[in-house]
Amino acid sequence: MPASTVSAKRRRASMRAAGVSSPWVMFLKGFFKHPVMVGAIASSSQRLVRHMLSPVDWDNCKLFVEYGPGVGTFTRTILERLAPDAKLIVIDTNPDFIRYLKHTIDDPRFIAINDSAADIKRIIADHGFEHADYIASGLPFSTLPTGVGDAIAHATHDILRKDGAFLVYQYNPKVRNFLTPYWEHIDHAVEWWNLPPAQLWWAWKK
């Protein structure tokens, strides 16, 4: 039996033993349990993922951070492109998603944290970093509790290195209201090959 098949079977057995469901089931559970935190009823398309990550300079990325990784749709692509000596920290307030990712991703560069993105400065400092090169987010800013979205945007701007970027994909264009107080250079696009079509924002720290 091929090694990949054995590894897949072991991974599925480990997930069952830990009570971890399939990605689709996990996503639906997360949406119905915390709809204002998940913000969509379907995972992002691979076309959206590629579009969102296209400006990243992977050769000059030592720390990538992802807010709201869910079941890892972006996470796995980031790890495929990340340098061998770089790190990826994912942060989610949903412990079910964090548990799922820890059981399905085996990569020494990967760190999953059950916490709030508003505490990004403390979180990356705990792992030996002063700045992040890129931060991606699918958090639904417009439905977060009052003040939380602004706190996350402020903390994110502070922790990004010069010429780093905050990569935001949303379904509500009002997210720009959270970005403009902190970033002057913001690029925008729409990814139509997604359900629903997504607003993409790249906020660059100059």
Side-chain angles (χ1 to χ4, degrees):
M1 184 179 295
S4 59
T5 303
V6 173
S7 176
K9 285 188 174 182
R10 287 176 177 170
R11 184 167 59 251
R12 287 194 295 270
S14 174
M15 288 170 62
R16 286 194 299 269
V20 176
S21 305
S22 69
W24 177 241
V25 172
M26 286 296 301
F27 196 91
L28 285 177
K29 284 182 177 178
F31 177 81
F32 288 116
K33 191 175 180 180
H34 304 287
V36 299
M37 300 303 292
V38 176
I41 199 166
S43 296
S44 302
S45 69
Q46 281 304 303
R47 189 156 178 170
L48 185 156
V49 174
R50 291 192 297 270
H51 194 170
M52 189 84 262
L53 297 177
S54 59
V56 174
D57 179 2
W58 297 101
D59 291 335
N60 291 297
C61 179
K62 295 302 179 185
L63 176 61
F64 200 114
V65 177
E66 183 184 3
Y67 300 158
V71 295
T73 305
F74 269 80
T75 307
R76 290 172 174 80
T77 302
I78 294 168
L79 287 170
E80 288 173 2
R81 302 181 183 188
L82 202 62
D85 61 342
K87 294 289 185 183
L88 168 61
I89 295 177
V90 303
I91 304 168
D92 206 305
T93 56
N94 187 331
D96 295 333
F97 284 151
I98 293 299
R99 185 163 58 96
Y100 172 81
L101 292 173
K102 285 182 175 180
H103 275 86
T104 57
I105 296 178
D106 183 15
D107 190 313
R109 301 168 299 168
F110 176 69
I111 302 167
I113 306 292
N114 180 204
D115 210 329
S116 169
D119 292 322
I120 179 61
K121 184 173 184 179
R122 172 184 56 78
I123 291 169
I124 71 167
D126 288 346
H127 291 87
F129 291 93
E130 294 183 359
H131 301 287
D133 298 294
Y134 296 92
I135 298 176
S137 173
L139 297 178
F141 277 80
S142 60
T143 62
L144 294 176
T146 303
V148 174
D150 186 68
I152 291 173
H154 191 176
T156 298
H157 181 269
D158 285 351
I159 210 65
L160 276 174
R161 67 161 167 85
K162 186 178 181 295
D163 295 324
F166 188 28
L167 288 58
V168 182
Y169 55 102
Q170 295 277 277
Y171 307 103
N172 188 331
K174 291 182 180 180
V175 68
R176 188 181 183 98
N177 297 335
F178 293 91
L179 302 177
T180 50
Y182 305 104
W183 285 273
E184 295 182 2
H185 185 173
I186 303 172
D187 296 326
H188 173 251
V190 177
E191 180 50 65
W192 297 102
W193 288 92
N194 193 73
L195 184 64
Q199 303 275 333
L200 309 186
W201 308 86
W202 296 269
W204 298 90
K205 186 171 181 178
K206 299 298 183 181

